[in-house]
Amino acid sequence: MSVIETVDLRKLYRRIEALKGVSLRVERGEIYGLLGQNGAGKSTLVKILLGIVWRTSGKATLLGQPVGNSSARQRVGYLPEDHQFPGYHSAESLLHFYGRLYGMSRQDRNRRIPEMLQLVGLTGRAKSKIRTYSKGMKQRLGLAQAMFHDPDLIILDEPTDGVDPVGRREIRTIMQQLKDQGKTIFLNSHLLGEVELVCDRVGILQRGEMIREGDIATLTRQKGLFVIGLADGEILPIEELQRLGFSVSRVGVHWEIGLHDGQTIDTVVDWLRAKGLRLRHLVEKRQTLEDLFVATVDAAEPGVDVPRRNREQHLLAGRQGR
Amino acid sequence: MKFLAILYDSFREAVDGWVIYVTLGASTLFIVLIACIGYEPVSAEKAFESITRRFQIVYANRNRSTMQRQFLFGLHFQAAEVKALTAAKRPQEADYQVRLVIEERDRNGPFLPFGPMPVQPQRAQEDESKDKKSVLRDVVSFWASSGERDDTGLKPDEVDERLTLDFVRDLFEFHGNVKVTKVERLASNHDRHEFLVTTQGEKGVRGWLHEPTFLFGALTVPIELSLGMLVYIIQDRIINGVGAWVALLVGVLLTASFIPNMMRKGAIDLIIAKPIRRVSLLVYKYVGGLTFVFINTAYAVTGVWLVTGLRSGVWSNGFLLTIFAITFYFAILYAVSLLLGVLSRNTIVAIMGTIAFWFALWLAGSIYEAVDVFRREPSTRDRIPSWVYRAVDTVNTVLPRTKDLDKLTSKLVVQDTLGEGDKRQLKLDTLTWPSWSEVLSVSGIYICVMLGLAAWRFSTRDY
């Protein structure tokens, strides 16, 4: 049983089609990242899963139960983007309130609250009113309330928004710990570097459609592109390699070798050894998630935002010229 | 568990502002002020003197009419002699014999009418030629008449001794809340009538005249009213009247933000994502608002009930039931506020809309009452076209009965505070009280409809 499953999920806001038949599966113990530009439909998808927005058509289940069913949310923790906790609560009283809604006993609440607040570093402000918290503190509290009732699935929408770099690292560590405990995490984030660091799989939404999905290692791998480096003072005979059919270009102190159909890197390595050159560096080239995201989005919707980008480039060029 | 969680959260939200503390502080201050009021029974002499001063006011239909009354200067009443027949600790518990002297001072008036001019004085002028005119007979004749415009009543000649003695008995019972056991005529001539009236003491103190004192007796207010009337004024007119309006207004102002705040962007996601049904969430929030008003009202009403009971000895248990009645009244208003809050997600709209609705209910109830007075009086019934009756009846049927609820809460206080005479003076004995079941059911249906609409909208919309 998948933790999250959607099949041909659609959402229509009057004339605007926010989701156009999205199908995805998130399995137990995964950290799944959902990427997309603003307005791509990420929040709509999450809100449908949590019963905050009603789906127009399609099927969606959460922990095996149809979404919209309040009991399905019993084992789900959620941190929304731009959340507003009631300012009249303190961190402690808020967790008590939410704990009661989840049916936690007083004993459990009294045990979990100090644990959670310590985990997110809010112990010292446990009794202060939330209205006195900074944005980062509210975000930490949001994370605490999402984990508080020990849910099986945690949905986090921009969890590091407003958090300083040290706090971000702590949050990443917490997510990793949760994964180690067998929890499933569904992550919405614009910080692609972070997503790349913690997620097992990602999906890219573009204008309501899932245009790419897979595990990060596979998605970011650039098939047939290797970077090699030789011992100090040795130069790669580029032209000879090109004559053998490889595409070669210099990148700093290294060389980038492109393989074509039927070619393998082993041929290059053997050739270098035969030439008496000493290989010191060999890696299969990967792209960053950000590169992948931009390339995927541009490929799916060529020309999107181009006028704006051009304008920005002109402005930048103008400033540099001055 | 979830219900209690929402309830407690609503309470936290309410106590977060300063308004609830001001309200509770004002209630406490008020309770202390009422605790400072004392009630001193007046002496028998003073009581009967005060009672006989009020005999100047006579209502038709044996003091039961609401439309006809007269202020008479033609008669002068005096409790010439008051004699205690039995010894008692408190003045109201003794039996008394009162010699009542009625002097006819001005046979030709003036009669100062308040309301339509009665027929009796005109008839008295017709009889003047016969030199049989007696103001007392005129007044008794008027007292015995039905008070209707076309009722010529008894002719003064037809006023017999038995009717006159009944009139005198009624004066004491109506104005003095005393039980009269015997009335007899002592002497009489053309200008002067003397009666001996025997009254029976009562264990209860409600009907006896008292003077209120303030600051634990430091200041006496020269007002002589029955103890029941004093307690009634405090409990019904001040607490159940002005106090309830203030409590309801504060309740509306304070609770109107509950739903819009919950539905703010960023807040609604958090709460809906919890394992609780949307309808349950809304209903729990509604009950949370009611609880706030219930606690506030219970504090004020119980406090006032306690201090008035301790200070006066009048324990009007019906007054305690006003806690539920006021809360029910608020339930009607809060259902509207809730619906407006769900539709607009705006606190100001919820407040203004609820107050406008409240005013509309009050206006509809007042118009219904005014029109109903015309309908009940045969002399005025035909002055209003029948479609007006149908229109006000229809509006009254479909709208919540807040005006009737006001009356019924007053009734709760009246039954435990006022004596029979006081009830008659306020015309409460002839008042047709609305039925509790009708008021509660019509208003209850209205609440259900409002809540149903709010729940439907809240459940079906996207956030």
Side-chain angles (χ1 to χ4, degrees):
Chain A
M1 179 190 73
S2 300
V3 175
I4 297 173
E5 183 174 5
T6 70
V7 179
D8 197 24
L9 193 63
R10 291 173 191 277
K11 176 63 188 178
L12 202 65
Y13 290 112
R14 298 193 179 176
R15 290 181 190 169
I16 299 165
E17 203 170 4
L19 291 181
K20 301 169 183 171
V22 173
S23 299
L24 70 85
R25 289 169 81 104
V26 178
E27 303 299 334
R28 186 171 298 278
E30 266 192 323
I31 301 185
Y32 186 95
L34 188 63
L35 312 177
Q37 291 172 293
N38 292 332
K42 304 187 299 291
S43 293
T44 299
L45 178 61
V46 166
K47 287 181 174 188
I48 288 175
L49 294 175
L50 290 161
I52 299 165
V53 166
W54 300 110
R55 66 185 187 276
T56 305
S57 67
K59 189 185 149 198
T61 58
L62 203 60
L63 295 158
Q65 296 190 57
V67 295
N69 187 339
S70 64
S71 62
R73 301 194 289 270
Q74 182 71 38
R75 290 184 289 145
V76 180
Y78 174 49
L79 169 65
E81 189 185 12
D82 295 332
H83 50 72
Q84 284 197 49
F85 294 115
Y88 49 85
H89 273 291
S90 64
E92 193 179 84
S93 69
L94 184 84
L95 292 180
H96 269 295
F97 171 43
Y98 287 167
R100 283 192 201 101
L101 291 180
Y102 282 110
M104 292 172 73
S105 68
R106 176 181 284 274
Q107 200 179 4
D108 280 351
R109 281 183 272 133
N110 287 338
R111 180 177 54 80
R112 290 280 289 171
I113 287 173
E115 282 175 17
M116 285 294 110
L117 293 180
Q118 191 174 19
L119 187 67
V120 298
L122 281 177
T123 307
R125 298 292 301 275
K127 293 187 188 300
S128 304
K129 288 279 169 70
I130 294 173
R131 66 167 73 99
T132 65
Y133 286 10
S134 67
K135 190 174 180 189
M137 289 167 73
K138 287 178 187 169
Q139 200 67 9
R140 287 160 182 266
L141 176 61
L143 194 63
Q145 62 84 31
M147 300 183 296
F148 179 54
H149 58 293
D150 195 22
D152 294 330
L153 168 65
I154 301 167
I155 298 175
L156 305 172
D157 204 346
E158 302 294 351
T160 53
D161 191 21
V163 180
D164 58 45
V166 177
R168 284 181 187 177
R169 179 184 284 184
E170 287 169 3
I171 290 174
R172 281 202 304 271
T173 308
I174 290 169
M175 284 196 271
Q176 198 55 52
Q177 285 171 356
L178 291 169
K179 177 179 158 59
D180 294 343
Q181 291 166 18
K183 310 290 183 195
T184 308
I185 299 175
F186 190 93
L187 181 66
N188 260 5
S189 178
H190 286 115
L191 299 174
L192 301 179
E194 287 184 0
V195 173
E196 193 170 5
L197 284 172
V198 297
C199 288
D200 301 312
R201 283 201 307 137
V202 293
I204 299 176
L205 267 184
Q206 171 77 345
R207 298 207 167 192
E209 287 179 284
M210 186 68 84
I211 55 172
R212 194 102 188 251
E213 196 185 18
D215 65 84
I216 288 190
T218 307
L219 288 176
T220 55
R221 183 184 302 140
Q222 289 194 319
K223 222 171 180 178
L225 200 59
F226 290 85
V227 176
I228 62 170
L230 300 176
D232 286 348
E234 293 183 354
I235 303 292
L236 185 75
I238 296 173
E239 288 175 1
E240 287 181 47
L241 267 175
Q242 284 174 339
R243 276 198 294 273
L244 290 169
F246 297 98
S247 52
V248 185
S249 60
R250 179 144 197 172
V251 182
V253 295
H254 295 134
W255 291 269
E256 206 171 271
I257 312 279
L259 308 177
H260 299 292
D261 290 345
Q263 294 178 327
T264 65
I265 193 68
D266 297 332
T267 312
V268 177
V269 172
D270 292 343
W271 186 81
L272 288 173
R273 281 185 182 149
K275 284 273 182 184
L277 295 167
R278 291 167 294 167
L279 191 65
R280 291 289 179 271
H281 180 87
L282 173 62
V283 291
E284 188 171 17
K285 190 173 180 188
R286 296 167 71 103
Q287 60 184 339
T288 64
L289 190 59
E290 188 172 328
D291 294 335
L292 170 76
F293 178 73
V294 173
T296 309
V297 167
D298 270 350
E301 197 79 30
V304 170
D305 286 353
V306 165
R308 186 169 61 81
R309 284 183 197 161
N310 286 345
R311 196 167 57 246
E312 283 169 358
Q313 280 170 358
H314 281 302
L315 282 171
L316 191 65
R319 282 194 199 114
Q320 284 168 346
R322 277 199 301 273
Chain B
M1 184 84 154
K2 288 174 188 172
F3 169 68
L4 290 178
I6 301 284
L7 204 65
Y8 190 56
D9 182 60
S10 300
F11 180 72
R12 264 187 178 278
E13 189 172 0
V15 299
D16 184 54
W18 52 270
V19 182
I20 192 166
Y21 295 109
V22 171
T23 313
L24 290 175
S27 298
T28 307
L29 188 68
F30 207 73
I31 291 166
V32 170
L33 281 175
I34 288 173
C36 292
I37 301 175
Y39 310 88
E40 285 298 318
V42 300
S43 66
E45 289 74 16
K46 200 170 178 180
F48 283 107
E49 185 194 332
S50 178
I51 291 167
T52 50
R53 272 205 304 271
R54 301 170 193 192
F55 290 175
Q56 299 286 343
I57 302 167
V58 176
Y59 295 84
N61 194 16
R62 295 176 180 250
N63 281 328
R64 285 193 182 84
S65 172
T66 54
M67 296 293 282
Q68 305 263 9
R69 47 185 163 163
Q70 273 203 315
F71 293 83
L72 302 173
F73 291 93
L75 294 177
H76 178 258
F77 298 89
Q78 187 194 359
E81 189 183 342
V82 178
K83 193 166 74 179
L85 299 178
T86 55
K89 277 186 183 175
R90 293 186 291 186
Q92 66 270 15
E93 290 172 1
D95 297 345
Y96 294 98
Q97 213 165 48
V98 182
R99 188 160 63 84
L100 176 69
V101 176
I102 305 174
E103 289 177 354
E104 299 195 15
R105 289 190 171 171
D106 184 358
R107 289 183 181 180
N108 295 318
F111 294 91
L112 298 180
F114 187 82
M117 195 69 177
V119 293
Q120 285 76 12
Q122 292 163 7
R123 191 185 297 119
Q125 282 174 358
E126 289 167 13
D127 295 341
E128 201 171 5
S129 58
K130 297 173 185 174
D131 199 25
K132 287 181 181 175
K133 182 178 177 186
S134 158
V135 180
L136 179 61
R137 274 206 300 274
D138 283 345
V139 171
V140 173
S141 162
F142 167 68
W143 168 80
S145 71
S146 69
E148 301 288 345
R149 262 186 182 278
D150 52 352
D151 177 24
T152 54
L154 295 170
K155 287 181 180 172
D157 289 348
E158 293 166 354
V159 173
D160 59 13
E161 183 64 4
R162 187 187 56 77
L163 200 61
T164 307
L165 295 180
D166 280 351
F167 170 71
V168 172
R169 173 195 297 269
D170 193 49
L171 286 178
F172 277 86
E173 290 181 346
F174 179 70
H175 291 288
N177 282 303
V178 290
K179 188 176 179 185
V180 176
T181 53
K182 192 176 174 187
V183 181
E184 53 190 315
R185 191 186 281 271
L186 290 178
S188 184
N189 61 36
H190 203 60
D191 298 326
R192 184 184 170 90
H193 311 269
E194 281 189 32
F195 300 90
L196 192 65
V197 180
T198 308
T199 67
Q200 189 182 45
E202 285 185 303
K203 288 282 180 196
V205 294
R206 291 190 302 178
W208 193 260
L209 295 187
H210 283 64
E211 282 179 335
T213 63
F214 285 102
L215 302 173
F216 299 99
L219 184 69
T220 302
V221 183
I223 300 170
E224 289 141 13
L225 287 171
S226 70
L227 182 62
M229 183 64 86
L230 287 169
V231 174
Y232 167 76
I233 289 170
I234 289 171
Q235 293 188 344
D236 189 60
R237 297 301 166 92
I238 298 176
I239 301 299
N240 191 32
V242 179
W245 276 65
V246 171
L248 290 170
L249 186 63
V250 170
V252 167
L253 295 178
L254 213 63
T255 56
S257 62
F258 282 8
I259 298 301
N261 279 352
M262 184 184 76
M263 291 175 71
R264 276 182 307 169
K265 187 175 171 355
I268 187 73
D269 307 43
L270 278 165
I271 196 79
I272 290 185
K274 301 289 178 282
I276 183 169
R277 289 172 61 231
R278 290 192 191 186
V279 173
S280 306
L281 182 62
L282 197 73
V283 171
Y284 294 169
K285 274 277 175 189
Y286 176 73
V287 177
L290 296 192
T291 309
F292 160 72
V293 170
F294 177 80
I295 290 170
N296 218 357
T297 309
Y299 175 68
V301 169
T302 310
V304 169
W305 173 79
L306 201 64
V307 296
T308 48
L310 287 171
R311 298 286 283 159
S312 70
V314 177
W315 295 95
S316 54
N317 297 335
F319 178 56
L320 287 175
L321 294 175
T322 61
I323 296 168
F324 300 99
I326 292 170
T327 308
F328 185 75
Y329 197 130
F330 179 73
I332 298 168
L333 300 180
Y334 192 39
V336 177
S337 172
L338 192 89
L339 176 62
L340 293 173
V342 167
L343 293 178
S344 70
R345 300 166 81 165
N346 185 308
T347 304
I348 302 295
V349 171
I351 290 174
M352 298 307 288
T354 306
I355 290 175
F357 177 76
W358 189 5
F359 177 74
L361 287 183
W362 173 83
L363 194 66
S366 300
I367 291 172
Y368 178 80
E369 258 184 10
V371 170
D372 203 44
V373 168
F374 277 83
R375 176 161 44 194
R376 285 175 188 282
E377 288 293 327
S379 57
T380 55
R381 189 174 296 152
D382 298 331
R383 288 187 194 174
I384 293 181
S386 60
W387 67 265
V388 175
Y389 291 125
R390 280 199 300 277
V392 294
D393 284 347
T394 306
V395 170
N396 188 58
T397 304
V398 297
L399 285 181
R401 310 285 176 79
T402 50
K403 198 84 180 172
D404 286 350
L405 204 55
D406 276 340
K407 281 187 200 167
L408 286 168
T409 48
S410 288
K411 186 185 177 186
L412 292 172
V413 180
V414 163
Q415 62 198 14
D416 289 333
T417 52
L418 295 183
E420 289 308 311
D422 286 334
K423 286 180 193 168
R424 287 177 62 197
Q425 281 184 52
L426 295 175
K427 306 300 168 199
L428 299 174
D429 58 326
T430 55
L431 193 69
T432 309
W433 297 100
S435 123
W436 270 109
S437 58
E438 195 179 321
V439 169
L440 293 179
S441 57
V442 171
S443 305
I445 289 169
Y446 204 84
I447 290 171
C448 290
V449 169
M450 293 286 119
L451 282 183
L453 285 172
W456 168 77
R457 187 70 189 116
F458 186 66
S459 301
T460 54
R461 78 185 295 171
D462 293 330
Y463 296 99

